[in-house]
Amino acid sequence: MTHAAELVRPAETALADFDAIQSLPDTVFLAALLLADRWTRRG
C-alpha cells in the first residue's frame, strides 16, 4: 500500500463518521468542542 493510500483511509473514515453524526441535533455543539482550539488561535 502506498503512503498516499494509507493517508486516504483515515480521511474516508473521518468523513463517514462526520456524516453519521451530522444528523444528530447537537452537531454544532460537538463541532465547536472539536474545533475550539483552532477557532481561538490567532495566526
Side-chain angles (χ1 to χ4, degrees), residues 7-8 15-16 19-20 23 32-33 35 37-38 41:
L7 296 175
V8 169
L15 286 173
D19 287 340
S23 63
L33 288 177
L35 302 172
D37 64 327
R38 293 183 182 114
R41 267 191 221 152

Side-chain angles (χ1 to χ4, degrees), residues 1-12:
M1 184 177 283
T2 67
H3 182 65
E6 291 173 12
L7 296 175
V8 169
R9 187 175 305 249
E12 289 175 334

Side-chain angles (χ1 to χ4, degrees), residues 19-40:
D19 287 340
I21 67 162
Q22 212 168 12
S23 63
L24 298 174
D26 298 328
T27 302
V28 174
F29 176 70
L30 293 173
L33 288 177
L34 179 66
L35 302 172
D37 64 327
R38 293 183 182 114
W39 286 340
T40 56

